[in-house]
């Protein structure tokens, strides 16, 4: 039986041994760091409530409905945190591994892949990109989204559901299988009733996919999607009820929405902040390379000094070429190489527009790096400086950045029949625009930009797959990542590597025959550097969480001995220094009542601290 189950899972997953190795290494890394994660802030409330037993669950769900509408999320947290943090330490790495897989599947999706029964040869590259994305994730984003149970349940898990829903909706909606249809309906309800932000993303996917498949592709009748619309809106009404009550409460408490403050905080959090900088630079770089690629007559291969100069029909090229090939003929499908991914040449006016937009974005990106990373000028957009050179520069960059992203996504949909870039881009922008109705305090937190960041990441992975044999693209991307760390040694190393890659790139332009093995060696070397810098960032995060865990483990052991001593005498604890390696760690230094209730400490128990 187990042998048959293993064979079924292997055949349905379409993962090679290399794919599984990448996923398992990532799972091991996540399990490792989760050893040093504890209950923080809101986790303590849910873990305390879980001790009241299942009889309390209906009351807890009702409280969630009236406070924020996130009924099933609150119920899931109560159940998951009943054994305190132990279950979350296993569950969260598994969810993260699933998100990595879904993002990689989105990045390598093609219409022809729906009919393949063999492994996707380029999936491992997308998986590696997704793994490095999470390992490199800046601490200010990671500590409040993936390493904190309450926020993981409210942001990571709903995003995992909506990504799975979107992928299955596009690839399985035409299936005649009743079980697959019921699965989609269940996912639609849970996505719609999760959070307002993710629920709106789910509605966006449903609308765009149904319109695309019915009106544009003419593949399915619109009535196929009606059950999904029904359950999605039903779930969204459920979460909106609690959200509106919370909004009214915020207004009553005096937290008024100042539109300019909210927009300023959204721009700062999503673009003009150090944690967002590496992703903004990678997306901008990818947009520039795509625009230059689309600005040449014919195919990219026709211009050796161009973006596609280092692309070749080598073995590595053939492994991923199927994801970017033109589907105009079966002969092209059989003999595809990386030079033929671009299907139709654009007219002269379009090419001029693309090149002009690329040059403008280059200049804007240079200014962005100079102001944010070199000069370290703090972002401050106010009424007074809105019409100054600084204010106009900020507005111009934001406009160019998002315009290029949407424009390229539309081109990919038209020219390559690849829908997820446009779907994800529109949803990512919508998920931030809808926040203009909230208080500026919430708009300034990285947890609300995390869903959009996950959606934008597919664009990065897709671009890396397309330009992975381009040494100029890879070296620039590596240089940008090292710059974002704000440390001299990595930035210097990134600059040297970029300089050497640029010299080799320029040298290869004037050679009639390039060395395929030499180019491949450089590409592999750059890939290794990407892995090293991501592991370095993750290692620093791991070390920080380990150091923060030492006093917390001591305190938990002291609480355990306190219970073994029948809750008599004083409780001697260690103070936990506040840091980003946790959330609200100061609770240990002045233990609030809900923390005492969570750990079963009597209110009158004297608590002293070791100096």
């Amino acid at each position: 039986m187990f042998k048959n189950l293993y064979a079924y899972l292997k055949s349905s997953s379409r993962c090679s041994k290399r794919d599984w190795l990448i996923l398992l290494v990532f799972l091991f890394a996540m399990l490792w760091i989760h050893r040093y994660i504890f209950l923080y802030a809101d986790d303590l409330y849910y873990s305390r409530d879980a001790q009241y037993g299942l009889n309390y669950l209906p009351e807890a769900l009702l409280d969630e409905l009236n406070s924020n509408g996130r009924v099933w999320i609150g119920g899931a947290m109560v159940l998951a945190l009943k054994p305190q943090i132990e279950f979350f330490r296993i569950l969260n790495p598994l969810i993260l591994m699933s998100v990595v897989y879904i993002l990689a599947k989105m990045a390598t999706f093609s219409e022809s892949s729906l009919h393949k029964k063999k492994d996707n040869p380029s999936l491992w590259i997308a998986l590696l990109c997704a793994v490095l994305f999470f390992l490199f994730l800046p601490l200010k984003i990671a500590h409040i989204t993936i390493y904190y149970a309450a926020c993981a349940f409210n942001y990571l898990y709903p995003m995992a559901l909506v990504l799975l829903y979107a992928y299955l909706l596009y690839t399985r909606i035409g299936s005649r299988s009743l079980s697959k249809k019921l699965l989609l309906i269940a996912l639609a309800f849970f996505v719609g009733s999760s959070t307002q932000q993710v629920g709106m993303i789910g509605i966006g996917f449903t609308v765009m996919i149904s319109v695309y498949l019915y009106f544009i592709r003419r593949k399915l009748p619109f009535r196929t999607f009606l059950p999904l619309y029904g359950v999605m809106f039903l779930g969204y009404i459920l979460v909106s009820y609690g959200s509106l009550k919370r909004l009214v409460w915020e207004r009553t408490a005096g937290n008024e929405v100042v539109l300019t403050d909210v927009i300023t905080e959204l721009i700062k959090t999503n673009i003009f902040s150090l944690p967002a900088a590496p992703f903004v630079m990678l997306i901008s770089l990818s947009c520039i390379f795509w625009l230059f690629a689309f600005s040449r007559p014919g195919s990219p291969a026709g211009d050796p000094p161009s973006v596609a100069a280092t692309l070749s029909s080598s073995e590595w090229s053939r492994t991923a070429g199927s994801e970017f090939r033109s589907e105009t003929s079966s002969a092209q499908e059989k003999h595809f190489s990386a030079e033929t991914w671009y299907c139709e040449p654009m007219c002269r006016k379009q090419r001029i527009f693309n090149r002009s937009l690329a040059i403008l974005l280059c200049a804007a990106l240079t200014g962005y790096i100079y102001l944010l990373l070199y000069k370290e000028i703090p972002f401050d957009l106010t009424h007074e400086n809105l019409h100054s050179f600084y204010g106009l520069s900020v507005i111009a960059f934001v406009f160019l950045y998002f315009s290029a992203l949407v424009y390229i996504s539309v081109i990919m949909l038209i020219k390559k029949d690849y829908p997820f870039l446009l779907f994800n881009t529109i949803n990512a922008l919508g998920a931030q625009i809808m926040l203009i109705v909230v208080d500026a305090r919430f708009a300034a937190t990285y947890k609300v930009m995390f869903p959009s960041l996950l959606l934008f990441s597919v664009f990065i992975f897709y671009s890396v797959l397309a330009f992975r044999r381009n040494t100029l693209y890879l070296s620039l991307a590596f240089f940008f990542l090292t710059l974002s760390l704000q440390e001299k040694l990595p930035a210097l190393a990134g600059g040297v590597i970029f300089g050497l890659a640029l010299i080799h790139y320029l040298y290869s332009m004037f050679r009639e025959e390039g060395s395929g093995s030499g180019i491949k060696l450089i590409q592999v070397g750059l890939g290794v550097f990407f892995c090293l810098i991501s592991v370095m960032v993750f290692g620093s995060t791991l070390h920080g969480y380990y150091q923060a865990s030492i006093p917390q483990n001591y305190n938990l052991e002291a609480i355990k001995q306190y219970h073994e001593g029948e809750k008599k005498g004083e409780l001697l604890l260690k103070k936990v220094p506040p840091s980003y390696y946790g959330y609200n760690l100061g609770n240990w230094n002045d233990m609030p009542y809900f923390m005492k209730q969570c750990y079963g400490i009597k209110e009158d128990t004297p608590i002293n601290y070791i100096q």
Side-chain angles (χ1 to χ4, degrees):
M1 182 182 70
F2 290 106
K3 185 177 180 180
N4 294 335
L5 178 61
Y6 171 77
Y8 170 75
L9 292 175
K10 184 177 179 181
S11 62
S12 61
S13 66
R14 298 182 183 178
C15 283
S16 65
K17 291 181 180 179
R18 180 167 50 186
D19 301 336
W20 278 114
L21 178 62
I22 293 172
L23 288 172
L24 291 176
V25 169
F26 177 70
L27 178 63
F28 172 77
M30 290 297 104
L31 287 171
W32 189 2
I33 196 171
H34 277 72
R35 292 175 57 195
Y36 311 123
I37 291 174
F38 299 87
L39 296 175
Y40 309 120
D42 290 352
D43 303 345
L44 299 165
Y45 286 103
Y46 289 98
S47 183
R48 176 202 63 184
D49 294 346
Q51 298 173 14
Y52 299 146
L54 292 177
N55 293 332
Y56 177 74
L57 188 59
E59 183 179 344
L61 296 179
L62 186 60
D63 289 341
E64 289 293 322
L65 176 63
N66 290 314
S67 60
N68 53 37
R70 304 171 185 180
V71 178
W72 72 261
I73 290 178
M77 286 185 64
V78 170
L79 296 176
L81 296 181
K82 182 174 176 58
Q84 294 195 349
I85 200 64
E86 284 76 12
F87 180 67
F88 176 77
R89 286 175 172 173
I90 299 173
L91 174 67
N92 207 46
L94 292 173
I95 298 294
L96 284 166
M97 186 178 71
S98 302
V99 172
V100 163
Y101 181 75
I102 299 168
L103 291 173
K105 291 291 288 184
M106 275 190 168
T108 56
F109 172 81
S110 68
E111 290 292 334
S112 58
S113 66
L114 295 177
H115 310 292
K116 292 180 182 177
K117 294 184 179 180
K118 58 182 180 180
D119 299 342
N120 187 337
S122 63
L123 181 62
W124 75 273
I125 303 175
L127 285 172
L128 184 60
C129 289
V131 166
L132 297 182
F133 168 83
F134 280 103
L135 295 183
F136 188 84
L137 197 63
L139 180 62
K140 286 187 178 181
I141 299 176
H143 92 286
I144 200 174
T145 54
I146 63 177
Y147 298 140
Y148 170 27
C151 282
F153 272 92
N154 280 276
Y155 296 94
L156 175 64
Y157 297 0
M159 278 306 299
L161 282 179
V162 77
L163 289 170
L164 177 63
Y165 168 75
Y167 187 81
L168 293 181
L169 177 61
Y170 192 88
T171 59
R172 301 289 188 268
I173 187 62
S175 174
R176 296 181 179 179
S177 171
L178 179 61
S179 60
K180 291 179 180 178
K181 291 180 179 180
L182 291 176
L183 175 62
L184 279 174
I185 290 174
L187 284 173
F189 176 76
F190 282 109
V191 167
S193 60
S194 56
T195 67
Q196 272 202 308
Q197 196 177 30
V198 173
M200 188 59 72
I201 293 174
I203 293 173
F205 273 124
T206 306
V207 171
M208 287 185 286
I209 291 175
S210 61
V211 168
Y212 180 68
L213 293 180
Y214 172 63
F215 288 103
I216 299 177
R217 295 296 302 277
R218 302 288 183 180
K219 292 181 66 174
L220 294 168
F222 193 77
R223 63 175 179 271
T224 307
F225 300 91
L226 292 180
L228 298 176
Y229 275 98
V231 294
M232 180 72 73
F233 280 109
L234 178 63
Y236 199 69
I237 290 172
L238 187 67
V239 73
S240 296
Y241 169 76
S243 299
L244 290 174
K245 291 192 69 172
R246 181 174 181 177
L247 190 63
V248 171
W249 180 84
E250 290 284 347
R251 298 290 189 274
T252 306
N255 299 320
E256 295 293 333
V257 175
V258 181
L259 186 59
T260 54
D261 292 346
V262 175
I263 293 175
T264 299
E265 292 297 339
L266 286 174
I267 293 175
K268 179 182 178 180
T269 304
N270 286 272
I271 300 179
F272 289 94
S273 64
L274 290 178
F279 310 108
V280 172
M281 289 189 292
L282 286 180
I283 292 173
S284 300
L285 177 67
S286 301
C287 288
I288 291 168
F289 270 66
W290 281 118
L291 288 168
F292 275 122
F294 291 136
S295 66
R296 294 184 305 276
S299 68
D303 184 10
S306 67
V307 172
T310 57
L311 302 184
S312 66
S313 55
S314 62
E315 181 63 27
W316 200 5
S317 158
R318 291 192 295 271
T319 60
S322 59
E323 299 305 325
F324 301 95
R325 64 170 172 264
S326 170
E327 298 176 6
T328 55
S329 68
S330 59
Q332 285 176 322
E333 290 183 1
K334 292 180 180 179
H335 302 288
F336 172 79
S337 66
E339 289 85 356
T340 61
W341 61 264
Y342 180 52
C343 42
E344 287 184 19
M346 293 186 173
C347 69
R348 185 172 179 273
K349 290 183 179 179
Q350 285 179 306
R351 296 197 303 270
I352 293 174
F353 174 80
N354 294 339
R355 189 176 293 271
S356 301
L357 183 58
I359 293 171
L360 284 174
L361 190 56
C362 279
L365 180 59
T366 303
Y368 174 86
I369 295 172
Y370 177 78
L371 293 176
L372 183 65
L373 300 181
Y374 181 71
K375 285 293 186 179
E376 299 183 17
I377 298 176
F379 178 79
D380 185 25
L381 191 63
T382 62
H383 288 288
E384 289 74 19
N385 63 12
L386 186 61
H387 299 289
S388 65
F389 176 76
Y390 173 81
L392 294 175
S393 299
V394 167
I395 295 172
F397 180 81
V398 173
F399 177 77
L400 281 173
Y401 174 69
F402 287 126
S403 296
L405 188 56
V406 173
Y407 176 66
I408 291 168
S409 300
V410 171
I411 291 178
M412 288 299 178
L413 179 64
I414 296 173
K415 297 291 184 181
K416 291 301 301 169
D417 197 22
Y418 181 77
F420 281 115
L421 288 187
L422 183 60
F423 296 165
N424 287 10
T425 299
I426 292 176
N427 271 323
L429 293 176
Q432 297 306 306
I433 293 173
M434 68 177 293
L435 294 173
I436 61 175
V437 299
V438 304
D439 188 271
R441 295 171 302 148
F442 298 107
T445 59
Y446 291 106
K447 59 187 178 183
V448 297
M449 64 90 76
F450 183 67
S452 296
L453 182 60
L454 285 181
L455 294 171
F456 281 140
S457 69
V458 175
F459 181 83
I460 298 175
F461 307 155
Y462 186 86
S463 300
V464 171
L465 282 168
F467 299 113
R468 67 189 181 278
R469 290 177 304 280
N470 189 297
T471 55
L472 183 60
Y473 175 85
L474 293 177
S475 59
L476 270 172
F478 180 75
F479 181 48
F480 288 164
L481 290 182
T482 57
L483 282 179
S484 69
L485 296 178
Q486 292 286 279
E487 296 181 11
K488 292 183 179 180
L489 188 58
L492 179 62
V496 170
I497 291 171
F498 168 63
L500 294 175
L502 180 61
I503 292 171
H504 178 273
Y505 190 85
L506 295 174
Y507 175 68
S508 65
M509 286 170 54
F510 300 100
R511 296 182 61 188
E512 294 183 1
E513 294 183 3
S515 173
S517 59
I519 292 175
K520 185 174 181 179
L521 182 62
I522 294 174
Q523 294 158 358
V524 173
L526 286 168
V528 171
F529 284 130
F530 277 109
C531 295
L532 288 176
I533 193 173
S534 299
V535 170
M536 183 184 75
V537 172
F538 176 74
S540 175
T541 303
L542 176 66
H543 178 72
Y545 270 96
Y546 167 72
Q547 291 294 327
S549 73
I550 295 174
Q552 293 179 84
N553 277 323
Y554 176 90
N555 292 344
L556 291 176
E557 183 63 28
I559 292 173
K560 181 180 178 182
Q561 294 177 3
Y562 165 80
H563 284 284
E564 291 175 351
E566 298 181 354
K567 301 182 181 181
K568 295 180 180 179
E570 69 172 8
L571 193 57
L572 192 61
L573 304 178
K574 283 186 177 181
K575 287 197 172 185
V576 182
S579 71
Y580 282 110
Y581 300 105
Y583 193 80
N584 278 8
L585 295 179
N587 283 338
W588 282 108
N589 306 330
D590 187 15
M591 192 174 289
Y593 73 94
F594 58 86
M595 192 172 187
K596 292 180 180 179
Q597 293 171 347
C598 175
Y599 289 117
I601 301 171
K602 292 192 295 185
E603 188 64 32
D604 58 350
T605 299
I607 299 177
N608 295 314
Y609 292 92
I610 300 174
Q611 298 298 325

